[in-house]
Amino acid sequence: MGLLLSLTVLNAGAQQTASDEVNRLQARMYKLYSGYDYDEFISVTDSLKVAAEEAGDDRMFYRAWANQVLFSSNRQRRSRAMQIAKEMQEHAVKQGNKWGIYNGLHVAAYAHEQMQNREEAIKGFKKAVNYLHEYLPNESAASSLIELAKISYLRSHMESAIQYAEQAIREPQLNALHRLNAYSLMCLSAADSAAYRPKNSDFRADFNRFYAEREKVKEAYGRDDIYGQRVEILKCILNRQFDEALQIASSIRSPLTRYNLERQIYFQQKNYEKAFMSLIAYMKNKDSVSEARNSHLLLEMIASMDVGRLENEQKELKLRNQALQLENLASDLEQERLEEEALQLNLKNKEVELQNAAVRLQNDSLDKHNKNLQISEYESKMAAQEQAARARRIFTTSAIAIAALIILALAYILWRRSLNARRLRRMNEQLQKANTNLKTAYDQLEEATTARERIESELRIARDIQMGMVPSQFPQHRHFDIYGMLKPAKEVGGDLYDFFIQNNKLYFCIGDVSGKGIPASLFMSVIVNLFRMVAKEGFPPEYIATRLNETVSENNENGMFCTMFIGEIDVQSGKLLYCNAGHNPPVMMARKLNSTTPTAPVFVEMEANAPIGLWPNLVFKGEVVEHIKGRTLFLYTDGLSEAEDAEQLQFGDDRILDVIASQPFTGARQLVERLSESVRQHVGDAPQSDDLTMLCIMCS
């Protein structure tokens, strides 16, 4: 009994230790889930699977496995996610674990959804729901039903989305987050699309009813879900509270979602110009995201094809090895056959030697016979003389016949030589013609090479001319420090910056022309020259922007435009006048950063004018900062914020602020070069996707 009691205590202690390890690894897993360290997350979840299996916790074992699929899908490793889901399903089926089978079906469908294969995703989620209802009726299938509701909402099947969400609410053991997600999708489906308009039904009443229930669930849950901001914006739109809706939309970090919601708000507000600008920004971001997603899917498909090709090559190599083995066996058999033939030849040689001996004996007997013949030789001389005369006649006849044959042979040879001569002449003509064609092709190649070198030379000259149009010398002034940088993505580009001092006023601008290459560089040169011409007349920035727009929008059949930030600083008073024509907002710091008084940089809020060149007869609005002394103004083009690495991850606005605030700087050039180095490290070996331009002004 004492031994049994000791074993029981030891077993309980081991189970407690295993349970503590599961809790520790579980906390570590959920902490890493929001990050991007893929290898560490897989390592921790593998350890959690082992600990859960030792503790007998099947649910945690399959939950950790399922999280590997979800993490891989969300981190652009969808092929790996499908492979993990398949391994999970096979293991659960082999073990006969119904909970594991359901989780395997659910995460496999989720991986299909992330790969935009929505038809397979719908089939997978429905199969998971049916399996759980049949074999585990007391468990909740709300997660699969909510995914079905989300897919229906994205496909504008609003009635189906509401039905799936209502079905999810009726599931047993429903947690608060799933209930909140279901009511959020019901609110979005009722108000976000005109597709949900049943006859004799007031969609506003449906939305308000769903929204009231959602508020109760949110209050009980204690926090909002990922759909909360969108639901609040739609509520404001339905109540025509457009300013509040725009304020909520501005806090959304995703540019794609923010631009789409702003477009809807402006459209309902009947501000069609701003709605159009938001639509342009939305389509630009959507195209960038779609291109990155399609590129990644293409890379995954190529990797799968490479794996199949390697497997086929392995099979071909195996077949080749088998063929070589068969050839070696055939070679051995052939060697044995040759040895047998050599033995047979030796036997035949022996027989020939015996035959030669017999011939020698026969020759001896013939010698004896010849001696006997010599006796009768004299008797036959007369007959021989007669035969000699007959032979001479035969020889004469034969000589004549041979001479005729020789003449015929010579005639045949001459005829053949004439045929060969004609054939050689034709071949010579063909060779001369081929030589002429080859010389012509060589001349064309030489001309093409010369033209290409001339174009490359002209592009280099155009680049030098374009780079000569932007300032490269930065003055040393006691009231301000200024520095700029321009790096075109191609030989020539469409970015620009300029500045000059006139009457104790610093005029400056930065701009980004739509497109790249030679058309953008030509448009850029026109913009720079017009800016210098108008600004030197002493006009304020908003008038400069208006004049530029009137000039370049006239006869602008190609639809090119330029975003610009134009500014004027009175170096004596520190007053800043500026006009933003659809450009990225600049960054401003209250004073220079240093080790004792660091100040966080912020983006400047400003009036959103249209880009220059889109529409004629526009009047641009300007703004004023009364005092800029002691402040730093940093301007840039989207080639900085949208610089992409090899995995299409952008540099981003947040990283710009982080790099500026990372450590103190004492001059404008130091800040510009620091950001340039950060972009270079972020991009790595990826090609430069857009022109990069930066301009920094530090006022003292």
Side-chain angles (χ1 to χ4, degrees):
M1 291 181 64
L3 180 59
L4 181 61
L5 181 61
S6 299
L7 291 174
T8 303
V9 172
L10 289 174
N11 188 27
Q15 291 181 351
Q16 182 63 33
T17 302
S19 178
D20 293 340
E21 180 67 9
V22 168
N23 292 334
R24 184 186 69 80
L25 291 172
Q26 179 185 1
R28 181 64 176 163
M29 174 184 67
Y30 287 122
K31 184 177 180 181
L32 292 172
Y33 191 83
S34 59
Y36 291 90
D37 194 336
Y38 182 81
D39 294 333
E40 185 176 4
F41 182 86
I42 296 299
S43 175
V44 169
T45 47
D46 284 340
S47 301
L48 178 57
K49 285 166 56 181
V50 174
E53 191 173 23
E54 292 178 354
D57 190 349
D58 289 341
R59 288 179 175 270
M60 182 53 64
F61 175 82
Y62 286 107
R63 187 177 294 120
W65 210 337
N67 282 338
Q68 289 183 346
V69 179
L70 301 179
F71 190 84
S72 300
S73 297
N74 295 332
R75 300 309 183 276
Q76 306 298 322
R77 297 173 181 259
R78 299 185 177 97
S79 297
R80 178 57 180 158
M82 293 297 298
Q83 181 182 356
I84 297 173
K86 182 179 179 182
E87 294 172 356
M88 178 181 173
Q89 290 180 9
E90 292 175 351
H91 182 276
V93 171
K94 184 177 180 180
Q95 297 296 325
N97 190 295
K98 295 180 175 57
W99 175 253
I101 294 174
Y102 163 72
N103 276 274
L105 292 171
H106 176 81
V107 296
Y110 183 84
H112 278 299
E113 179 185 358
Q114 292 297 307
M115 296 177 73
Q116 302 299 313
N117 191 356
R118 289 178 176 168
E119 294 297 332
E120 290 296 326
I122 292 173
K123 293 178 183 178
F125 285 127
K126 287 183 177 179
K127 187 175 181 180
V129 171
N130 294 333
Y131 181 89
L132 196 69
H133 286 169
E134 182 178 357
Y135 295 101
L136 297 171
N138 295 326
E139 297 289 344
S140 173
S143 57
S144 299
L145 290 168
I146 288 172
E147 291 297 328
L148 286 169
K150 182 172 68 175
I151 295 174
S152 298
Y153 167 71
L154 293 175
R155 300 175 73 181
S156 296
H157 298 167
M158 302 306 175
E159 293 185 9
S160 298
I162 292 177
Q163 290 175 1
Y164 284 129
E166 289 176 343
Q167 188 178 351
I169 293 174
R170 294 193 295 269
E171 285 295 300
Q173 300 184 15
L174 183 67
N175 61 43
L177 179 58
H178 285 162
R179 187 183 300 275
L180 183 60
N181 291 154
Y183 277 114
S184 295
L185 288 169
M186 291 163 70
C187 290
L188 295 176
S189 301
D192 193 32
S193 174
Y196 179 72
R197 296 293 186 271
K199 293 183 179 179
N200 302 323
S201 175
D202 185 0
F203 71 96
R204 297 177 185 273
D206 291 342
F207 176 84
N208 292 331
R209 177 165 55 86
F210 297 151
Y211 182 82
E213 293 296 328
R214 183 183 181 278
E215 287 298 301
K216 295 177 183 178
V217 176
K218 184 175 75 172
E219 182 177 0
Y221 184 56
R223 58 181 181 273
D224 208 345
D225 62 355
I226 60 174
Y227 307 104
Q229 290 178 316
R230 189 179 184 91
V231 172
E232 294 298 328
I233 290 173
L234 292 175
K235 176 178 176 293
C236 292
I237 292 175
L238 292 177
N239 294 328
R240 306 194 64 80
Q241 298 171 345
F242 299 116
D243 292 338
E244 184 177 350
L246 288 172
Q247 183 177 1
I248 298 173
S250 65
S251 63
I252 296 176
R253 296 181 64 86
S254 171
L256 195 63
T257 304
R258 183 172 67 252
Y259 291 139
N260 188 31
L261 290 172
E262 288 178 351
R263 177 183 63 82
Q264 297 181 30
I265 296 168
Y266 287 134
F267 185 84
Q268 294 294 330
Q269 199 178 10
K270 297 184 179 180
N271 190 341
Y272 299 118
E273 181 177 346
K274 290 187 177 179
F276 176 72
M277 298 305 298
S278 298
L279 176 61
I280 291 176
Y282 171 78
M283 294 304 295
K284 181 179 180 181
N285 279 268
K286 183 179 180 181
D287 291 342
S288 176
V289 172
S290 298
E291 183 178 355
R293 182 184 293 112
N294 292 335
S295 299
H296 187 79
L297 291 175
L298 179 60
L299 290 175
E300 289 188 339
M301 182 182 70
I302 292 173
S304 300
M305 293 175 65
D306 288 340
V307 171
R309 180 178 58 79
L310 290 175
E311 292 177 351
N312 291 332
E313 288 179 354
Q314 289 180 349
K315 292 179 181 178
E316 290 178 358
L317 183 60
K318 185 176 180 180
L319 291 174
R320 289 177 184 173
N321 291 333
Q322 293 177 353
L324 288 175
Q325 292 176 357
L326 292 175
E327 289 178 357
N328 291 332
L329 291 174
S331 177
D332 294 339
L333 293 174
E334 181 68 17
Q335 184 67 27
E336 293 177 358
R337 186 182 64 80
L338 291 174
E339 291 176 356
E340 291 178 357
E341 289 180 354
L343 291 174
Q344 291 178 359
L345 287 174
N346 289 331
L347 292 174
K348 289 181 179 180
N349 290 332
K350 296 294 184 182
E351 292 177 356
V352 170
E353 290 177 358
L354 292 174
Q355 290 176 358
N356 290 334
V359 169
R360 283 195 297 272
L361 292 173
Q362 189 176 4
N363 289 333
D364 292 339
S365 63
L366 288 175
D367 289 337
K368 293 179 180 179
H369 181 66
N370 288 332
K371 290 178 180 179
N372 294 327
L373 289 176
Q374 287 177 0
I375 298 172
S376 59
E377 182 178 359
Y378 295 105
E379 297 176 354
S380 58
K381 283 183 179 181
M382 293 302 292
Q385 289 177 357
E386 293 177 358
Q387 291 177 357
R390 190 183 302 113
R392 283 194 297 272
R393 290 193 298 270
I394 293 172
F395 176 77
T396 302
T397 304
S398 299
I400 294 171
I402 291 171
L405 290 174
I406 291 172
I407 292 171
L408 291 174
L410 289 173
Y412 177 76
I413 291 171
L414 290 173
W415 176 72
R416 292 290 298 177
R417 289 186 64 184
S418 65
L419 288 178
N420 291 333
R422 286 196 296 270
R423 188 180 297 109
L424 288 173
R425 283 196 296 273
R426 287 197 298 270
M427 292 177 64
N428 186 35
E429 292 174 356
Q430 293 175 357
L431 287 173
Q432 290 178 353
K433 185 177 181 180
N435 187 28
T436 303
N437 294 335
L438 181 61
K439 186 176 184 301
T440 302
Y442 178 78
D443 294 338
Q444 292 175 352
L445 178 61
E446 186 176 6
E447 291 177 0
T449 303
T450 304
R452 186 186 64 185
E453 292 176 351
R454 183 174 64 255
I455 291 172
E456 291 177 352
S457 176
E458 290 175 354
L459 284 175
R460 287 193 296 270
I461 294 171
R463 178 187 178 92
D464 294 338
I465 293 173
Q466 183 186 18
M467 296 305 293
M469 295 182 69
V470 298
S472 59
Q473 300 295 328
F474 303 96
Q476 299 294 328
H477 199 279
R478 63 189 182 89
H479 290 296
F480 64 87
D481 179 21
I482 186 169
Y483 186 77
M485 174 185 294
L486 191 154
K487 292 183 179 179
K490 297 183 178 180
E491 286 79 0
V492 290
D495 278 11
L496 62 99
Y497 74 87
D498 195 11
F499 64 86
F500 63 87
I501 303 173
Q502 181 175 285
N503 298 329
N504 285 328
K505 291 183 179 180
L506 172 65
Y507 293 88
F508 63 93
C509 71
I510 187 170
D512 184 1
V513 177
S514 59
K516 304 179 184 66
I518 294 176
S521 69
L522 294 175
F523 200 80
M524 167 262 187
S525 64
V526 172
I527 293 292
V528 170
N529 288 327
L530 287 174
F531 167 76
R532 293 175 180 172
M533 181 177 65
V534 179
K536 287 189 176 181
E537 295 296 327
F539 293 116
E542 62 270 18
Y543 182 80
I544 296 173
T546 303
R547 287 287 302 277
L548 289 176
N549 183 69
E550 290 176 356
T551 302
V552 300
S553 61
E554 183 178 0
N555 298 325
N556 186 8
E557 296 179 356
N558 294 323
M560 298 189 69
F561 61 90
C562 177
T563 65
M564 288 189 71
F565 184 93
I566 304 173
E568 172 193 326
I569 298 177
D570 189 326
V571 297
Q572 297 292 338
S573 64
K575 185 176 182 179
L576 168 64
L577 304 178
Y578 67 89
C579 176
N580 182 35
H583 197 72
N584 303 75
V587 179
M588 182 178 288
M589 290 137 279
R591 53 188 177 276
K592 293 190 295 185
L593 298 176
N594 53 62
S595 59
T596 57
T597 58
T599 302
V602 296
F603 289 104
V604 179
E605 296 182 0
M606 59 187 65
E607 184 74 25
N609 292 293
I612 292 174
L614 283 178
W615 301 287
N617 302 324
L618 290 179
V619 177
F620 287 76
K621 298 180 180 180
E623 299 181 70
V624 181
V625 176
E626 293 295 338
H627 188 70
I628 198 175
K629 287 189 176 182
R631 300 186 181 184
T632 298
L633 184 65
F634 175 73
L635 304 103
Y636 62 95
T637 61
D638 55 8
L640 174 63
S641 58
E642 297 178 5
E644 296 180 348
D645 60 7
E647 297 182 356
Q648 287 80 43
L649 180 63
Q650 294 187 350
F651 192 75
D653 293 337
D654 293 339
R655 192 171 299 186
I656 294 175
L657 300 180
D658 293 341
V659 172
I660 294 175
S662 61
Q663 54 184 334
F665 59 90
T666 58
R669 179 169 184 171
Q670 183 182 6
L671 177 59
V672 171
E673 290 179 347
R674 179 192 301 173
L675 282 162
S676 177
E677 177 64 19
S678 298
V679 170
R680 186 190 65 78
Q681 293 178 359
H682 171 75
V683 172
D685 296 332
Q688 185 177 346
S689 60
D690 198 358
D691 303 334
L692 172 61
T693 304
M694 294 178 283
L695 182 66
C696 181
I697 304 173
M698 297 177 61
C699 297
S700 57

